[in-house]
Amino acid sequence: MTDNDLAAMAAVLMQSRQTILPKRLVAPGPDAKQLAMILEAAATAPDHGQLLPWRFVLVPQAARPRLADVFGAALIERDACATSEQLAQAREKAQRSPLLMLVVVDGQRGDAEIDLFERIVSTGCAVQNMLLMATALGFGSALTSGKALKSAGLRLLFGLADGEHALCFVSIGTVQSRRPARPRPVPRDFVTCLSGPGEAATERDLAGFSYAF
């Protein structure tokens, strides 16, 4: 396999990744071997100082009712007038997707000179690697967040230490249905070129690079 072949395969994989809402992810989820591959992919993320500033907490089916209780309590804390239907919807979110894990980033572990932003970037890279591996294995995936992540109940349930932050949940499973893929942004939507002193950036600045913007 040539470098070009490998690059083409990587491009196809990255373009194939699509967010699938957890309610559209059904069993079967990854088996033990596939889960190991997904988690091992996280270990290839860049990690300045080898802090390992992230960890993942799996939420098996037996623990979902406890998470549902936390989601329900967090809703009541935010809105004491929440209806029984809204409460049921909040609790039901804990039951979606066969594989569910919480992403935790540690803002204090190891070298204090490596700030939280850099730790979050490392965590994001680890998560993206897992999503790509899940895609390569034929699964759908999604990241979800919400106000419940900041609740005292969730911190207690997952045993978060001082300095740890619940970043998001990762859901992985078999795709039941998917929406058409949304258009991806193109490089000109998010790339500019740093100009020299007294110069203004123009389209011509980018044209000097080999990439055709």
Side-chain angles (χ1 to χ4, degrees), residues 105-124:
V105 60
D106 192 332
Q108 298 181 355
R109 180 186 180 105
D111 188 349
E113 294 299 313
I114 301 176
D115 67 23
L116 179 60
F117 294 113
E118 188 169 351
R119 295 164 189 255
I120 292 174
V121 169
S122 176
T123 305

Side-chain angles (χ1 to χ4, degrees), residues 41-117:
T44 65
D47 179 9
H48 180 198
Q50 296 183 317
L51 297 181
L52 193 61
W54 34 262
R55 64 186 180 95
F56 310 112
V57 184
L58 295 167
V59 187
Q61 291 297 330
R64 301 292 180 96
R66 298 175 65 195
L67 181 58
D69 290 343
V70 165
F71 284 168
L75 175 60
I76 295 300
E77 289 176 5
R78 299 193 307 271
D79 182 6
C81 297
T83 66
S84 58
E85 180 180 358
Q86 290 172 326
L87 183 59
Q89 290 175 345
R91 292 179 55 86
E92 189 271 334
K93 291 178 181 178
Q95 302 296 338
R96 297 174 180 174
S97 81
L99 175 64
L100 181 67
M101 70 179 83
L102 179 68
V103 179
V104 179
V105 60
D106 192 332
Q108 298 181 355
R109 180 186 180 105
D111 188 349
E113 294 299 313
I114 301 176
D115 67 23
L116 179 60
F117 294 113

Side-chain angles (χ1 to χ4, degrees), residues 121-143:
V121 169
S122 176
T123 305
C125 291
V127 170
Q128 177 72 345
N129 286 350
M130 291 196 298
L131 299 184
L132 291 174
M133 181 58 74
T135 300
L137 292 169
F139 295 107
S141 61
L143 305 182

